[in-house]
Amino acid sequence: MKRFYTGVLCLAVILSISIAAAPPAFAATASIQKKASIKTAVSTPQKLSIAYYTLQVNGQNIDLAGINIYTKGTTILVPLRKSAEALGFTLTWNPKTKSTELDNGTIKTSITVGSNAYAYTSSNAIGISEPMTLGSAPIMIGGNTYIPITLYNMLYNNPGTIQITDTSLNIKKPATTIKTGTDEAAL
């Protein structure tokens, strides 16, 4: 009977030692699996490609002076300054927020390189749109900032603002109107 208890005691000691040693081995496996899942969860950067489009505002070609238009996946990126100024926006650099502010007297927005969050406000009223993503954060290439062309759909609150053909990108700038009593006059 003494041998039986000694055997059970030895077995219990061996099992407790093996169990005590097992969690680090399991933890290491879990850690490796966690690192592997993190590694696969990180999205692969999409490759930029030069897109051979002409840029237009209301059907009139914009001189890009050798500046390219790019695609990143299915997102078309256009040069911010060239496109915004052609639409009548004033661009201002804000060193505090490290962003470019666009304002056309009616609507305004702020563009921050690397931030895929876009919103706009009225230039004259209080309020801001809900922030949204547009397929890509603004990027810098060769000293030029590039934005998703769909930003203009958002700013003009019209999904039909951008017209894309095989060879051109046309941004339809809406007519500006002023209310004068009960009449509206187009500018």
Side-chain angles (χ1 to χ4, degrees):
M1 188 69 136
K2 193 174 186 180
R3 276 187 186 185
F4 175 74
Y5 287 120
T6 305
V8 170
L9 183 59
C10 286
L11 183 60
V13 169
I14 291 171
L15 283 175
S16 64
I17 290 172
S18 64
I19 290 174
F26 290 138
T29 304
S31 174
I32 290 167
Q33 287 173 342
K34 187 175 182 181
K35 286 179 185 175
S37 67
I38 290 172
K39 194 171 189 174
T40 56
V42 173
S43 65
T44 7
Q46 293 175 327
K47 184 180 174 186
L48 284 175
S49 301
I50 294 176
Y52 297 98
Y53 291 107
T54 57
L55 182 61
Q56 303 173 335
V57 170
N58 292 333
Q60 299 297 310
N61 285 349
I62 305 303
D63 180 14
L64 295 179
I67 298 171
N68 292 317
I69 294 173
Y70 291 93
T71 57
K72 184 177 180 183
T74 59
T75 303
I76 298 171
L77 300 166
V78 296
L80 172 62
R81 179 167 302 281
K82 292 285 187 179
S83 60
E85 287 179 346
L87 290 163
F89 284 92
T90 301
L91 283 71
T92 309
W93 174 250
N94 184 333
K96 282 185 179 180
T97 61
K98 295 184 180 180
S99 62
T100 303
E101 296 173 355
L102 285 72
D103 192 339
N104 71 356
T106 305
I107 50 177
K108 61 183 176 179
T109 190
S110 184
I111 304 294
T112 305
V113 171
S115 174
N116 188 10
Y118 301 88
Y120 65 95
T121 62
S122 166
S123 297
N124 306 308
I126 298 173
I128 188 168
S129 71
E130 180 179 351
M132 58 182 72
T133 61
L134 297 176
S136 175
I139 59 173
M140 288 283 287
I141 300 173
N144 295 302
T145 302
Y146 288 82
I147 57 164
I149 194 167
T150 52
L151 173 69
Y152 298 115
N153 285 341
M154 183 195 79
L155 290 177
Y156 293 125
N157 199 20
N158 180 354
T161 299
I162 308 301
Q163 297 173 335
I164 302 171
T165 68
D166 290 341
T167 59
S168 68
L169 306 170
N170 186 28
I171 306 169
K172 291 180 68 179
K173 181 180 174 184
T176 307
T177 58
I178 0 175
K179 290 193 176 189
T180 55
T182 58
D183 300 334
E184 283 189 8
L187 295 178

